[in-house]
Amino acid sequence: MSQPNPFIDSVSSSIPRNFRAIKEAWVARQLRQRETSFSKFRQLRLFVGTWNVNGRSPNQSLVPWLKPPDSPEVDVYVLGFQELDLSTEAYLVYDKAKEDEWCRAIEDVLPTVQLGEDEDGYVKIVSKQLIGMLVVIYAKKEVANVCSELATESVGTGILGLMGNKGAVGVRLRIDDTYFCFVNAHLAADTGMVERRNQDYSEIVRRLGFILTSPAPPPASTSPTSTISQILHPGGYADYNAYKVANPWVASFLDAQQSMREQQGEDQSGAGGPKVSSLLNSAPLALSPAPGAKPAVTVFDCDHLIWMGDLNYRIALPDTQARDMIQRGKLDQLVDFDQLTMERRSRRTFPDYDEGPLNFTPSYKYDVGTSTFDSSEKRRAPSWTDRILWYKNPLRQNDPEWIRQLSYKSIMDITISDHKPVMGLFDVKVRSVLTEGFMQTYEEISRQLDKFENDALPDIAVDTNILEYGDIRFSVPVTRQFEIENKGQVGAHFRFIPKGDDVNYAKPWCFVNPPAGTLFPGEKAVIKITMLVGNATAASLNFGEDALDDILILHIENGKDSFVSISGTWQPSAFGNDLNVLCRMNKPARECGIQGLKELAKLAKGQKAKSVEELSGRREAKPTSPTPKVSEQGTDGTAEGSDAVSESNITIISDPASVGFRIDNVTTGNDSGAPRLSIPKELWRLVDFIYKYGMDVDNLFLTPGDHVIMEYIRECLDTGTEFDLGFLLSEQSSDTPLSTSATEPSTKQADTEKTSNLTPLSIPPKGRTVSVHAMAECLIRFLDSLAEPVIPYSLYSRCITEGYHSFVTAFEILQSLPALHYNAFAYVTSFLKEVVSGYKGRGETTDNISQVFGPVLLRPPKNLAFESAPPIPNRTASPMPVALPRSTSKPGAPLSATANITVPASPLRPAGRGGGGGLMAVLAGALIAGNPGGTPGSPSLGNGVVPKSGGLQQQSAPAAVDSAEIMSRKRRMFLGHFLEPGNDL
């Protein structure tokens, strides 16, 4: 009959599987089932005795107890004593005198020898004492030779729950390949302490554990057995699980726990008792060792578990009634009133244990020196306090010969104590594992397991592992996809993983959806990979520090990894560029190419940037207004004339009524590396269009721009193409939708993007208002994308700690700006002042303008974590429009660094004309929300970025928001100084 594959089932195919655990469990089951093929068994005669000696010395012979008439030959004696020493000193100092005294009395009966001697006899194997409790084991010499892995332990449950006047001592040992555990217990006394005795049992079970010793052949063994543990674990057991793997045929605590739960499920009577699992509902201490502690096992981790001792359970009858039943020989009726019998029937203690019939006279309580029941004033009722029980091995329930009791009785002839000694005689099975047979069976199981494992390995097929993206432009997402299919027989769990020492599984311009998931057999899934270059990555691509190529690792749990190669061609852009490079370009960024931009960047770095203060020789703090330069402009939007001026001569708006913007060339020679322009031409083109055509458009900088128009504008700036004013300014027809979102690029590799090579003919006209809003958003995004902001990072701290106080302080800081940065700042603020003074639309105030432009002109360095979530939208993350927080101050009112600000609940700006959806909305939501990496099973796109600890993450949410609010307000106050009337540069 073929066996089911252990790795294939409905559960393991839907959840992550622990192959090692499945393999170990399956091998253990197979070895248990085939145990007879590599094991041989023999019978061992076992004598178990218990006696509460009441502190007395052995002044009588122990022959009636240890060698009763007609008793068969015994292989092993296990003797438990209680109240061996009742002296107070026994609580403080360990004294072996009492143990030696009783061992001599035992050896007077049992002929003893030492290992290695020629004579036959018994050898003292081990002993363990805790105050008055003692367990000692004697074995025949031939049995002693095959004993190994001896371990002893004790548990006190007496005074304060810890003292050793009550508790247990235990011994664990191996005979051949069979594990024995013997527990000698002395539980709480008194008739009414039933619950306490039950508690003592549970506490002993929980706390009594045995340190695992390294597996080794027994001394003087010549048998080819007892080497299996050495073969599987030559260095010893690393932990409890390693022991179980090496001894799968030995019952364990887990087997005991499962058996008890099953028994409880079958026993519906309950009798008011607790659930069986409550006795073992927490792992014993042995299974939860302290760090660095040696591995240990519980009392249940053995083949034979036998308890003995003064368990102190009484007969719940009055003394006279109990004695009367004993005299009349009604012991079978008296048993019904035995507390231990009643507790075991209700499964409140010693569940799944067995005991021989109580057909002998109770062992307690007698007058010392007689066999007369207690005649003292207390006249305690006779009771079977001294008991011997054995645990029913859950793996041997169907083997009646596994353990068989031959006799169970008390010895009335010995009168030393107020207790009578009790003895039980057993025949038990002992296993020997044959190494050769075991190895043969183990190899067969391993071969079968290998086949099962190979059949159960996940098999994920990828339809393509090369994705080509073509041309990639700034802020234009391009998506490709590939399909994966689970062709195996089990569920497959996949996720993208980092390469080598990388932290993220993809570069920051790559986003995967989904980054992780599960496929059932036969299922397919589409994985979309999007390239999106924004502010954070454009600079490295523009200057050739990075390239749009990467290899992603698709990891299949317990299967083979797949590799997906992605590549695209970056189209250089003025966005994500550097002011020093933009002012040195003599042609558009696209024509310069990556190599040209790299050369210009080298020239800029090689020429030390001078501040305005150094160029002009001025050092006074009081600002002065430079003489404006004015030039005429053509109708195509380009500057006419190229008058040469020095870098310190700033071009600003001269007359709002005239066309007052100018780009001045600097005549320093073609190859000097000096800037050709005072400000970037792209900046001038954006400002020029807004100034000419947008000064009456409502909410000029507050309304989102249309993505398609913005893409067209960026393409014109990057390629040097003139704006088609007829297209941008013409009003839309009545049958044309008010706004259309950017066409999402095709996800198939063979398709081309409809938005590439945009021309006015491919875009429906949307009107002047929409074009102006798009141009305004492009201006904001252009400034926000600069590799070094207009106010350099090096001056950020001064601006927010000093510059926001007054215009004089702010102007003094401004003199430290490099000349090109000063030019750009002066040019932008001059334009914004004109908007403040000459704007004819609705919605723009000094406060609103400062709120929009403050965060883009004065950006915090990346290492300032508290600025990682500013109230002004993070436009670097996505081309989507984002929400602008509104100040609660009245328009025109002075800003305060601690004034209240209403922060929008969503980072996305309200969708107006041009409000995008589809992929762009998903990207914006995922990126701006601060979850670029995504998590397995999340629908968000991501590149596996994990936020670093520290900074904002270490602050409470209110504190982090407050810090960001204050810094943002200081930036707006700094910019606001330059927008006030009379504060001229």
Side-chain angles (χ1 to χ4, degrees), residues 590-818:
R590 191 73 54 80
E591 292 185 35
C592 287
I594 295 176
Q595 188 60 36
L597 294 179
K598 287 175 64 176
E599 294 299 326
L600 289 174
K602 289 181 181 178
L603 290 174
K605 289 181 180 179
Q607 193 176 55
K608 181 179 182 297
K610 294 184 179 181
S611 67
V612 173
E613 190 175 58
E614 293 171 327
L615 289 169
S616 63
R618 293 184 287 109
R619 292 193 177 274
E620 62 273 15
K622 185 176 180 179
T624 60
S625 178
T627 303
K629 293 278 183 177
V630 181
S631 67
E632 297 298 328
Q633 299 181 354
T635 58
D636 60 356
T638 60
E640 294 182 354
S642 57
D643 298 338
V645 296
S646 69
E647 276 195 31
S648 61
N649 208 359
I650 310 301
T651 55
I652 59 172
I653 299 173
S654 173
D655 183 357
S658 67
V659 185
F661 301 107
R662 172 191 179 125
I663 302 297
D664 292 320
N665 287 338
V666 181
T667 56
T668 58
N670 294 333
D671 300 324
S672 66
R676 299 180 64 256
L677 306 172
S678 298
I679 58 172
K681 186 176 181 179
E682 293 78 8
L683 175 60
W684 169 76
R685 292 182 65 185
L686 292 167
V687 170
D688 180 65
F689 184 92
I690 298 170
Y691 179 70
K692 280 184 177 181
Y693 307 110
M695 296 294 284
D696 61 344
V697 175
D698 292 343
N699 297 315
L700 179 60
F701 297 115
L702 300 181
T703 300
D706 182 273
H707 295 307
V708 177
I709 303 299
M710 289 171 61
E711 188 176 340
Y712 167 72
I713 294 170
R714 288 197 303 267
E715 191 69 8
C716 289
L717 296 176
D718 290 343
T719 60
T721 305
E722 298 176 359
F723 296 142
D724 189 325
L725 298 181
F727 159 70
L728 292 175
L729 302 179
S730 62
E731 296 300 327
Q732 60 186 13
S733 59
S734 59
D735 57 347
T736 302
L738 181 65
S739 175
T740 58
S741 301
T743 304
E744 287 193 8
S746 171
T747 58
K748 288 297 181 183
Q749 193 161 314
D751 295 343
T752 58
E753 284 68 41
K754 296 179 181 180
T755 54
S756 62
N757 301 321
L758 287 174
T759 64
L761 296 178
S762 66
I763 308 173
K766 301 187 178 182
R768 177 175 69 92
T769 300
V770 175
S771 298
V772 168
H773 285 146
M775 198 71 68
E777 178 131 4
C778 281
L779 172 62
I780 296 170
R781 292 185 179 278
F782 174 80
L783 294 172
D784 196 37
S785 72
L786 292 173
E788 180 86 3
V790 174
I791 304 294
Y793 292 129
S794 59
L795 294 177
Y796 175 80
S797 295
R798 286 189 63 191
C799 291
I800 63 171
T801 56
E802 305 172 19
Y804 74 94
H805 289 296
S806 66
F807 174 66
V808 173
T809 307
F811 183 81
E812 181 179 6
I813 295 174
L814 209 64
Q815 301 308 299
S816 302
L817 261 63

Side-chain angles (χ1 to χ4, degrees), residues 467-505:
L467 300 179
E468 297 286 350
Y469 286 75
D471 292 342
I472 301 295
R473 292 171 289 123
F474 180 84
S475 201
V476 178
V478 178
T479 300
R480 297 285 184 257
Q481 70 181 38
F482 64 93
E483 186 178 79
I484 60 176
E485 180 181 1
N486 185 355
K487 293 187 175 182
Q489 303 180 58
V490 295
H493 309 276
F494 67 87
R495 60 187 174 93
F496 288 86
I497 61 174
K499 299 180 291 291
D501 297 331
D502 292 351
V503 176
N504 307 319
Y505 61 73

Side-chain angles (χ1 to χ4, degrees), residues 800-861:
I800 63 171
T801 56
E802 305 172 19
Y804 74 94
H805 289 296
S806 66
F807 174 66
V808 173
T809 307
F811 183 81
E812 181 179 6
I813 295 174
L814 209 64
Q815 301 308 299
S816 302
L817 261 63
L820 293 179
H821 287 257
Y822 184 95
N823 290 354
F825 183 84
Y827 184 69
V828 172
T829 53
S830 297
F831 163 64
L832 296 179
K833 286 182 67 173
E834 292 298 331
V835 173
V836 171
S837 62
Y839 182 59
K840 299 177 182 178
R842 293 174 299 177
E844 296 297 354
T845 64
T846 301
D847 187 16
N848 289 341
I849 292 174
S850 299
Q851 201 168 5
V852 172
F853 283 88
V856 298
L857 295 175
L858 183 59
R859 298 203 309 267

Side-chain angles (χ1 to χ4, degrees), residues 906-924:
S906 170
L908 295 178
R909 210 152 70 179
R913 277 192 291 249
L919 173 65
M920 298 300 295
V922 175
L923 281 172

Side-chain angles (χ1 to χ4, degrees), residues 59 79 102 173 179 192 214 258 270 274-275 331 395 454 567 579 612 698 705 746 839 856 897 922 925 956 966:
N59 54 17
L79 305 177
W102 279 95
L173 74 158
Y179 286 94
S214 298
Q258 179 63 26
K275 292 183 178 180
L331 296 180
L395 304 183
N454 290 332
S567 61
L579 279 174
V612 173
D698 292 343
S746 171
Y839 182 59
V856 298
V922 175
S956 64
I966 293 173

Side-chain angles (χ1 to χ4, degrees), residues 109-291:
V109 178
L110 304 179
T112 57
V113 295
Q114 299 295 323
L115 283 177
E117 295 180 1
D118 295 333
E119 295 82 0
D120 292 331
Y122 291 91
V123 177
K124 182 181 177 182
I125 300 298
V126 66
S127 65
K128 178 66 175 178
Q129 181 179 354
L130 175 64
I131 303 181
M133 290 173 283
L134 170 69
V135 61
V136 59
I137 298 179
Y138 287 85
K140 280 186 175 181
K141 187 175 69 173
E142 58 268 24
V143 176
N145 285 332
V146 292
C147 288
S148 62
E149 299 183 37
L150 295 168
T152 62
E153 192 55 78
S154 61
V155 169
T157 62
I159 301 171
L160 302 177
L162 298 173
M163 294 298 290
N165 59 312
K166 295 293 187 290
V169 288
V171 174
R172 186 177 188 271
L173 74 158
R174 191 176 88 179
I175 300 177
D176 289 342
D177 289 303
T178 304
Y179 286 94
F180 289 82
C181 182
F182 302 102
V183 180
N184 174 32
H186 191 188
L187 307 185
D190 197 76
T191 303
M193 300 292 285
V194 177
E195 288 298 326
R196 177 58 188 271
R197 286 189 280 273
N198 294 348
Q199 181 182 346
D200 284 350
Y201 165 78
S202 298
E203 189 69 5
I204 292 169
V205 167
R206 188 181 72 88
R207 291 166 51 192
L208 189 61
F210 302 95
I211 300 298
L212 282 170
T213 57
S214 298
S221 176
T222 57
S223 171
T225 65
S226 306
T227 59
I228 305 307
S229 297
Q230 285 188 310
I231 294 172
L232 297 180
H233 295 274
Y237 302 122
D239 51 29
Y240 177 75
N241 190 63
Y243 158 79
K244 287 203 309 173
V245 171
N247 301 276
W249 42 81
V250 179
S252 69
F253 166 78
L254 300 179
D255 295 317
Q257 192 176 51
Q258 179 63 26
S259 175
M260 291 180 183
R261 287 172 176 166
E262 291 174 357
Q263 290 293 329
Q264 177 65 20
E266 296 175 1
D267 181 12
Q268 300 299 324
S269 62
K275 292 183 178 180
V276 170
S277 59
S278 67
L279 297 174
L280 294 171
N281 58 1
S282 60
L285 297 182
L287 302 188
S288 304

